[in-house]
Amino acid sequence: MRNVVYTRPPRASSEAAAELGAFGTATVHEAQHRAGYLGASIRPAWPGARVGGTAVTALCWPGDNTMIHVAVEQCQAGDILVVATTSPCQDGLFGELFATALQHRGVIGAVLSCGVRDVAELHAMRFPVWSQYVSAQGTVKQTLGSVNAPVTVGGVLINPGDVLVADDDGAVCVPRDQVEDTRTSSRAREKKEAQTRARLRTGEVGLDIYGMRTRLTELGLEYCSHPESVDP
């Protein structure tokens, strides 16, 4: 592995990232054909945050947060720090002190394939973090990795400058070259869901809104009176 820091990578538009963040993880995931979801194991350290920002990536060795220190300097306003490790790691590589440094730089969150700690302090600071683990286990600072090289979290490839959207449902990655298409698709999906929501509120059911009845019949679904049914 090459130990390198790539400086000034191209980033997706901060405006587009913020709009995708407002749509939320589920909408964006569906809008890009159910791709990019980092998986159910990546969970928020505290509930209620919703962000959309551009990725700065750090690849660390297990139990070693050296490259997070290096990555902080490469972060700018609107970024989300993404931390992966070279092999599985549950240790708390990230905590309150990193969040303090990143918050000063305008960074809006962090996504980790490893562990986070200082959860109460992060909540009080309103600095959102998504991670696979919560762990008080500390780290060392001995081994080099890389910054702004491609990393993998939850089986999803993340490049620097890609958009990360994260909320209570988890996190999703939108590749930089797909941001505008996903933005357009998310708008259309949001409009369609608003129309569906309005119809549900009038008493219609999904069977009719989505035109499911014919297909269910074709699949062999039958409606029968219960043997003990009572006439209305």
Side-chain angles (χ1 to χ4, degrees), residues 5-46:
V5 178
Y6 291 106
T7 62
R8 295 177 290 128
R11 288 169 165 85
S13 155
S14 58
E15 178 188 357
E19 183 178 5
L20 289 171
F23 288 130
T25 299
T27 293
V28 171
H29 177 237
E30 295 284 354
Q32 61 175 0
H33 310 292
R34 300 181 185 176
Y37 180 49
L38 304 191
S41 64
I42 301 297
R43 303 299 306 152
W46 52 269

Side-chain angles (χ1 to χ4, degrees), residues 176-218:
R176 184 168 58 90
D177 62 358
Q178 297 177 27
V179 165
E180 288 306 318
D181 286 345
T182 303
R183 193 180 184 186
T184 299
S185 299
S186 295
R187 289 170 179 164
R189 185 170 184 83
E190 189 86 343
K191 181 179 179 180
K192 182 179 178 181
E193 288 192 352
Q195 294 169 342
T196 300
R197 190 177 300 111
R199 294 176 68 180
L200 290 169
R201 285 172 174 163
T202 68
E204 289 189 74
V205 296
L207 291 174
D208 296 315
I209 294 172
Y210 300 120
M212 296 172 62
R213 294 190 188 277
T214 300
R215 180 57 178 158
L216 292 176
T217 300
E218 291 172 351

Side-chain angles (χ1 to χ4, degrees), residues 67 101 112 115 132 134 144-145 151 157 166 173 176 203 207 209 218:
M67 299 313 292
L112 319 171
Q132 191 166 2
V134 173
L144 294 181
V151 298
L157 180 68
C173 176
R176 184 168 58 90
L207 291 174
I209 294 172
E218 291 172 351

Side-chain angles (χ1 to χ4, degrees), residues 45-46 92-100 115-127 129 133-137:
W46 52 269
L93 268 66
F94 186 98
E96 172 208 358
L97 296 180
F98 277 134
T100 300
V116 65
R117 61 182 187 174
D118 303 332
V119 170
E121 289 81 359
L122 293 172
H123 191 185
M125 295 170 63
R126 308 301 294 174
F127 188 87
V129 177
Y133 306 100
V134 173
S135 174
Q137 179 66 46

Side-chain angles (χ1 to χ4, degrees), residues 27-147:
T27 293
V28 171
H29 177 237
E30 295 284 354
Q32 61 175 0
H33 310 292
R34 300 181 185 176
Y37 180 49
L38 304 191
S41 64
I42 301 297
R43 303 299 306 152
W46 52 269
R50 175 176 286 197
V51 298
T54 43
V56 168
T57 64
L59 182 63
C60 299
W61 283 73
D64 191 315
N65 65 6
T66 300
M67 299 313 292
I68 301 180
H69 286 277
V70 177
V72 169
E73 189 176 38
Q74 302 303 316
C75 291
Q76 64 186 38
D79 283 339
I80 294 175
L81 177 65
V82 179
V83 179
T85 53
T86 57
S87 60
C89 173
Q90 299 181 18
D91 299 345
L93 268 66
F94 186 98
E96 172 208 358
L97 296 180
F98 277 134
T100 300
L102 291 173
Q103 203 168 55
H104 175 76
R105 304 179 78 87
V107 175
I108 58 175
V111 174
L112 319 171
S113 69
C114 49
V116 65
R117 61 182 187 174
D118 303 332
V119 170
E121 289 81 359
L122 293 172
H123 191 185
M125 295 170 63
R126 308 301 294 174
F127 188 87
V129 177
W130 288 260
S131 68
Q132 191 166 2
Y133 306 100
V134 173
S135 174
Q137 179 66 46
T139 59
V140 298
K141 299 168 180 59
Q142 295 181 349
T143 312
L144 294 181
S146 61
V147 170

